[in-house]
Amino acid sequence: MGRAEVLQGVRQMRFEGLLERHERGELSQGEAAEMLGVSERTFRRWRDRLRDEGPEGLRDRRIGKPSSRRAAAEEIVRMLGLYEERYAGFTVKHFHEQLQKRHHYKLGYTVTRLALQGAGMVRPAPRRSAHRKKRPRRPLVGMMLHQDASRFAWLPGDDRQYDLVVTLDDATSAVYSGFIVEEEGTASSFRALAEVIKQHGLFCELYTDRGSHYFHTPKAGEAVSKTVQTQVGRALAQLGIRHIAAYSPEARGRSERAFRTLQDRLPKELALAGITTAAAANRWLAETYWPAHNAAFAVTAAEAGSAFVADRTGRVREILCLQEERRVGNDNTVKWRGLTLQIPPSPLRAHFVRATVRVHEYPDGRLAIFHGPHRLADYNPAGNPCDDTKLAA
């Protein structure tokens, strides 16, 4: 006998006892109904059914009948077939999203999860242990951004591992920049910063790991240097952005959790979209994936408003590039990574022999030489002067 039948028997005995007391005048109809937890109308209906049909009239007619809300068996079978044929390995949540988006699926998440677990296709998620309290988010967007990279086999059919460089907001977890590269480094950090600043503006703080392109660490495992800067550290200082170093993976909890989600979902989404190259993946990420990801996973900031500030000076391009000082040779040339850069005549001085100049190398490979604030010349990636007429006076 099932639990429903047992409960029905108990209810029937209670009703019959209270009905007898009501008929003896010990209880009013309202009092008897209240003790049963039903309305007076229900009490009268049960009384009439008992008189007309006997004890069988009190039987709950829902018992033994399938629920009108039970999912159609055909739809469950279709769903299980899709999971086995096309979506094996997807989490239930990710699979349910794809069903709704691609297969006109109408059943709810819980029904889907229970059916998959009942068929042995997915395992119930383990219970989470107690966790320490998370660091509160910054209240405004633009107050703190996280930048990190995850090395993984992101591209379908390609066993090689690439770095996915992601920059996200601490206040909302919204991803502002994300792209796949062979290996993260100074160039990828500059690219991500340029994308964020172009779209949103300058922000207050950047939280990163202690990778060698972010910080100089005099001794492994110890604190980062506060005096020696990397190219990224120098650029952030020039932009007025505070650079914060994380000293453990737990300290980078926001980005670590984001990467766990991305490692599970992104390769499957790329496979569904038929994308197999990094260039195609990066276009698709910017145009399609990040807007959908942010809609699903970003949260609302604690306070309205923004801490982003527009770059009105236009200095970003000159800052987000490699910058190094060089001593000019006796022939008015500067050596740079195997190239010889000839400084053209300038109204600033007769020559620049032994002068200290600054070389800028931009992300596209172009070069420029500066003497203090003065731009002396521009060069193409081969080291040839671009335009001798546009020299600063």
Side-chain angles (χ1 to χ4, degrees), residues 86-126:
R86 297 185 56 183
Y87 297 97
F90 277 54
T91 64
V92 179
K93 181 175 175 59
H94 193 191
F95 175 51
H96 188 253
E97 291 173 3
Q98 297 303 316
L99 288 172
Q100 292 179 314
K101 182 165 67 174
R102 300 171 184 270
H103 302 284
H104 308 289
Y105 186 73
K106 302 298 183 183
L107 300 182
Y109 167 81
T110 301
V111 170
T112 305
R113 175 176 59 81
L114 292 175
L116 287 168
Q117 291 175 354
M121 293 182 175
V122 299
R123 294 181 179 179

Side-chain angles (χ1 to χ4, degrees), residues 342-381:
Q342 180 70 58
I343 299 178
S346 168
L348 289 174
R349 51 193 289 177
H351 62 78
F352 291 91
V353 174
R354 298 185 180 277
T356 299
V357 295
R358 189 175 68 257
V359 180
H360 289 200
E361 181 177 318
Y362 302 103
D364 61 1
R366 293 176 178 271
L367 302 160
I369 294 179
F370 287 78
H371 183 252
H374 301 283
R375 192 184 196 99
L376 301 181
D378 289 276
Y379 306 85
N380 63 25

Side-chain angles (χ1 to χ4, degrees), residues 29 59 115 125 159 183 244 259 279 281 288 290 303 315 361:
Q29 195 174 94
R59 180 176 178 79
D159 294 333
E183 187 174 4
I244 304 173
F259 280 128
T288 304
W290 295 129
E303 297 181 11
R315 299 179 303 133
E361 181 177 318

Side-chain angles (χ1 to χ4, degrees), residues 9-171:
V10 171
R11 186 187 67 185
Q12 183 175 333
M13 288 188 293
R14 290 190 64 211
F15 171 72
E16 290 175 350
L18 291 171
L19 179 60
E20 290 178 4
R21 294 179 62 186
H22 165 63
E23 290 177 343
R24 291 198 303 265
E26 297 176 11
L27 295 173
S28 68
Q29 195 174 94
E31 291 171 335
E34 185 177 356
M35 293 174 71
L36 279 172
V38 299
S39 66
E40 290 187 46
R41 181 174 179 274
T42 298
F43 184 87
R44 289 194 299 271
R45 188 168 68 248
W46 287 358
R47 179 199 62 193
D48 296 341
R49 282 166 52 183
L50 180 62
R51 290 173 178 172
D52 295 341
E53 304 175 37
E56 189 64 24
L58 295 179
R59 180 176 178 79
D60 190 333
R61 290 170 176 148
R62 295 172 297 178
I63 294 177
K65 292 184 178 180
S67 170
S68 59
R69 299 177 63 186
R70 179 175 294 178
E74 295 82 2
E75 188 71 346
I76 293 291
V77 170
R78 183 174 79 95
M79 177 271 294
L80 295 175
L82 285 168
Y83 186 84
E84 188 173 21
E85 294 168 10
R86 297 185 56 183
Y87 297 97
F90 277 54
T91 64
V92 179
K93 181 175 175 59
H94 193 191
F95 175 51
H96 188 253
E97 291 173 3
Q98 297 303 316
L99 288 172
Q100 292 179 314
K101 182 165 67 174
R102 300 171 184 270
H103 302 284
H104 308 289
Y105 186 73
K106 302 298 183 183
L107 300 182
Y109 167 81
T110 301
V111 170
T112 305
R113 175 176 59 81
L114 292 175
L116 287 168
Q117 291 175 354
M121 293 182 175
V122 299
R123 294 181 179 179
R127 290 184 177 272
R128 294 183 179 180
S129 58
H131 194 277
R132 63 183 178 86
K133 187 176 181 181
K134 297 177 184 177
R135 176 184 59 77
R137 295 177 181 269
R138 293 292 195 267
L140 287 175
V141 296
M143 291 186 71
M144 175 189 283
L145 269 60
H146 298 256
Q147 189 176 97
D148 204 354
S150 175
R151 195 156 188 81
F152 193 69
W154 297 104
L155 298 177
D158 189 343
D159 294 333
R160 292 176 295 173
Q161 293 193 335
Y162 298 85
D163 282 332
L164 174 66
V165 182
V166 168
T167 307
L168 59 85
D169 198 300
D170 183 79

